[in-house]
């Protein structure tokens, strides 16, 4: 979903570029790129949220947490995941309400395109629901690791990566690329 969101953003950038060039050269006056780009940005943003949770790419200022013993640190990481899931649930609830209203009223955009709003609202809401589901899944995984007293696994699931983790990942990626290059 994150890759599809990335392609949506790339497509939106191309549409807006074509539209700007077309307007400045007076080739066409119609404006579809901006509307589609707005939908693409909203969908890409929500579709990438779950990926960020799964990859532990969320940003947290955890100067204090880094100095805590493993159990309190793991519990704070779990609290952060629970907070993400709660925010996702609130947003998904609002998205579902908006989607059902668009569906019930057969709403269309007030533009030349006249897009049925149920399409972008549905894609956006699906991203929010998926984000919430992934957050809850990771929350349960983290809680199970803590219950087993496996704090390293709990950190691997729910903690934001430390600078040392990022360095280790970069070294591992480099070693993989080098071994692939040597094999080729």
């Amino acid at each position: 979903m994150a890759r599809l969101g990335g392609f949506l953003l790339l497509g939106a950038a191309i549409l807006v570029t074509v539209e700007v060039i077309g307007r400045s050269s007076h080739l066409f006056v119609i404006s579809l790129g901006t509307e589609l780009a707005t939908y693409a940005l909203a969908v890409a943003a929500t579709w990438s949220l779950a990926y960020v949770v799964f990859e532990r790419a969320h940003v947290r200022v955890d100067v204090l947490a880094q100095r805590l013993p493993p159990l309190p640190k793991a519990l704070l990481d779990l609290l952060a995941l629970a907070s993400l899931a709660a925010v996702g649930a609130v947003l998904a609830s609002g998205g579902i309400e908006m989607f059902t209203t668009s569906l019930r009223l057969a709403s269309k955009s007030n533009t030349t395109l006249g897009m049925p709003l149920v399409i972008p609202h549905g894609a956006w809401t699906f991203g929010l629901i998926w984000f919430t589901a992934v957050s809850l899944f990771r929350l349960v995984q983290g809680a199970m690791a803590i219950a087993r007293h496996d704090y390293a696994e709990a950190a691997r699931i729910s903690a934001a990566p430390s600078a040392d983790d990022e360095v280790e990942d970069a070294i591992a990626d480099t070693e993989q690329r080098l071994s692939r290059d040597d094999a080729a």
Side-chain angles (χ1 to χ4, degrees):
M1 287 177 65
R3 290 184 199 275
L4 286 173
F7 286 123
L8 281 174
L9 288 178
L10 181 61
I14 291 169
L15 275 173
V16 169
T17 302
V18 167
E19 183 177 316
V20 168
I21 291 170
R23 281 185 184 182
S24 65
S25 61
H26 304 291
L27 291 175
F28 52 89
V29 185
I30 201 163
S31 174
L32 300 178
T34 307
E35 178 181 1
L36 293 174
T38 303
Y39 299 145
L41 179 61
V43 170
T46 61
W47 284 16
S48 66
L49 291 173
Y51 178 78
V52 169
V53 170
F54 191 75
E55 291 295 320
R56 301 180 316 141
H58 49 288
V59 176
R60 287 200 316 252
V61 178
D62 57 356
V63 175
L64 175 64
Q66 293 297 330
R67 301 182 193 319
L68 292 174
L71 178 59
K73 182 179 180 320
L75 291 174
L76 283 176
D77 291 335
L78 219 54
L79 177 63
L81 265 179
S83 298
L84 283 175
V87 167
V90 169
L91 292 174
S93 172
I96 290 168
E97 185 178 330
M98 182 177 57
F99 172 76
T100 57
T101 301
S102 295
L103 187 61
R104 184 173 35 86
L105 299 176
S107 301
K108 293 187 177 191
S109 65
N110 188 16
T111 61
T112 13
L113 188 57
M115 163 94 62
L117 291 177
V118 72
I119 296 169
H121 289 171
W124 181 74
T125 300
F126 178 75
L128 292 172
I129 292 169
W130 184 243
F131 162 62
T132 305
V134 169
S135 297
L136 288 170
F137 176 71
R138 296 302 268 182
L139 179 65
V140 169
Q141 283 185 316
M144 290 171 57
I146 290 171
R148 291 189 311 268
H149 302 285
D150 189 351
Y151 304 122
E153 177 68 6
R156 190 192 65 73
I157 291 167
S158 58
S162 67
D164 292 339
D165 293 338
E166 291 181 14
V167 168
E168 287 176 20
D169 288 346
I171 290 171
D173 287 346
T174 302
E175 288 173 349
Q176 281 182 337
R177 271 191 243 117
L178 290 174
S179 67
R180 272 186 273 149
D181 290 346
D182 290 343

